[in-house]
Amino acid sequence: LLQWEGEIKSKFTEGTFKYYIYHGDNRKKYAYNLSDYDIVFTTYEIISREIELVEGRSNDSQLAKIKWKRVILD
């Protein structure tokens, strides 16, 4: 995740993108405003744990509540 943050910092002028690293113990504490960011960095493991792709089940994860334009898995 820090590598991707470094890429943003080295390739773009500061303030071009508003980004957030969704990781660590306190990630859910600040997740209420994830849709305010242009880019959200997280791990595949976090996505797979928090988003249940089971039809008919509600999911309370903030990651699942946002209508993402793109999701890139690396």
Side-chain angles (χ1 to χ4, degrees):
L1 298 176
L2 295 178
Q3 178 183 350
W4 283 110
E5 179 182 32
E7 291 293 322
I8 293 289
K9 287 181 175 180
S10 71
K11 306 268 189 301
F12 298 95
T13 305
E14 186 175 340
T16 301
F17 293 109
K18 192 173 170 187
Y19 69 90
Y20 182 76
I21 297 177
Y22 184 75
H23 193 264
D25 294 337
N26 290 323
R27 70 181 178 272
K28 292 182 181 181
K29 183 176 180 180
Y30 302 103
Y32 63 90
N33 65 345
L34 284 180
S35 62
D36 293 342
Y37 293 93
D38 300 309
I39 301 170
V40 176
F41 295 110
T42 193
T43 65
Y44 181 81
E45 182 180 341
I46 289 173
I47 290 173
S48 65
R49 272 191 280 143
E50 290 192 17
I51 297 180
E52 296 179 29
L53 299 176
V54 179
E55 199 171 318
R57 286 178 101 172
S58 62
N59 191 313
D60 64 348
S61 170
Q62 289 300 318
L63 289 175
K65 291 179 182 179
I66 295 171
K67 185 176 180 179
W68 299 98
K69 289 184 181 181
R70 290 175 186 85
V71 174
I72 300 169
L73 302 174
D74 180 21

